[in-house]
Amino acid sequence: MADQGQWQVAGNAAQTYERALVPAVFASWAPLVVALADPRPGERVLDIACGTGVVARLAAQRVGRSGSVKGLDLNPGMLAVAASVTSPDLPTSAPIEWREASATKMPFPDAAFDVAYCQLGLQFFPDRPAALREMYRVLVSGGRLGLMVWQGIQRSPGFGVLAAALARHVSIEAAGIMRAPFALAEADELRTLLATEGFREITIQPVAGAVRFPSVARFVKDYVGGSPLSGHVAKVPDEARAALVSEVTDALTSYVANDGLAFPIEAHLATAKK
């Protein structure tokens, strides 16, 4: 899902990401992201920082068998899971090819795609302008770009609480990993990045959503287990991990109901054309 160490996962984290985090955090946003560029039958689509492929699979349904979809990610574990959960035999979906590569140096020719997506990847890239230049390069003239980034962590109390608790009970580095997904929170900064690299007809809209887990304990366990946090949290004593869960549970009591934990989160959804 990203292009640098802040979102490189190891072990079975990619499986946890697909099993737990995609439905709890990311899946509800994927149709909105795909709709941004309105892919049509027969078009060629690229999903950048594709993770386990939730956007790529939806796009494949939209472009159909006459179209094509490529999913690109730097993390081989994510791509392995993406391939394992994608049926190659869906009669109405485009085939998907998974490619391991950097968003700042894509292995594709110029003007190779009609549509490019990047759901929650741009904020992680070590060189955002370079990544956007590559997105511009691989799009045809008039090609469409659909992007999603989170707004500030202060607009998502669950993740804000988890970051603060990680700082106290695990490490400052772990807290930084938790804050990293929110590092491109300002619409003006995103607009400037896109315009500087040549994109036009830029629109950015704020959209509110929710994060849902069966319980606070599952939120902490699954988010840690499906992210680069897992290695950091594994290093601390059992007492520290228990204190982490206890602090987050106490702080999020008001967001728990009979059907589990639900807290708000806000994103910016952006569209642009080459």
Side-chain angles (χ1 to χ4, degrees), residues 4 18 30 51 62 88 92 96 112 117 145 147 159 200 207 249 260:
Q4 57 133 318
E18 172 64 22
R62 293 282 294 268
T92 60
I96 305 175
Y117 291 112
L145 177 67
L147 288 173
F159 288 123
R200 60 187 177 85
V207 179
T249 298

Side-chain angles (χ1 to χ4, degrees), residues 63-268:
V63 300
R65 296 298 293 183
S66 61
S68 66
V69 176
K70 289 182 171 59
L72 180 141
D73 202 285
L74 194 61
N75 195 302
M78 291 288 197
L79 294 174
V81 172
S84 74
V85 299
T86 302
S87 172
D89 300 319
L90 292 176
T92 60
S93 290
I96 305 175
E97 179 184 349
W98 307 104
R99 297 290 296 271
E100 181 183 344
S102 170
T104 59
K105 193 175 182 180
M106 298 187 202
F108 306 117
D110 296 353
F113 299 98
D114 304 290
V115 172
Y117 291 112
C118 186
Q119 182 190 30
L120 298 170
L122 184 61
Q123 64 264 49
F124 293 105
F125 299 153
D127 189 339
R128 294 167 187 161
L132 287 168
R133 282 194 295 274
E134 280 290 88
M135 295 178 202
Y136 189 92
R137 180 185 67 80
V138 301
L139 281 170
V140 298
S141 179
R144 290 105 64 204
L145 177 67
L147 288 173
M148 174 182 170
V149 295
W150 293 131
Q151 295 188 44
I153 197 171
Q154 71 275 12
R155 297 181 181 274
S156 186
F159 288 123
V161 163
L162 181 55
L166 285 163
R168 275 187 284 274
H169 302 292
V170 181
S171 67
I172 296 298
E173 185 179 5
I177 290 171
M178 182 62 262
R179 293 189 178 99
F182 304 89
L184 186 54
E186 300 302 322
D188 287 345
E189 181 181 3
L190 178 59
R191 185 182 300 276
T192 298
L193 281 167
L194 288 163
T196 299
E197 301 312 324
F199 286 99
R200 60 187 177 85
E201 297 184 31
I202 300 165
T203 66
I204 301 175
Q205 55 180 318
V207 179
V211 174
R212 302 181 186 277
F213 283 87
S215 67
V216 177
R218 281 285 301 278
F219 164 52
V220 177
K221 178 181 179 182
D222 288 341
Y223 196 84
V224 167
S227 76
L229 289 167
S230 57
H232 295 267
V233 175
K235 294 177 183 177
V236 302
D238 291 345
E239 295 80 1
R241 288 194 290 273
L244 174 71
V245 175
S246 179
E247 179 175 327
V248 176
T249 298
D250 290 344
L252 296 182
T253 300
S254 61
Y255 296 100
V256 177
N258 290 336
D259 57 349
L261 171 70
F263 59 83
I265 194 166
E266 297 183 25
H268 281 126

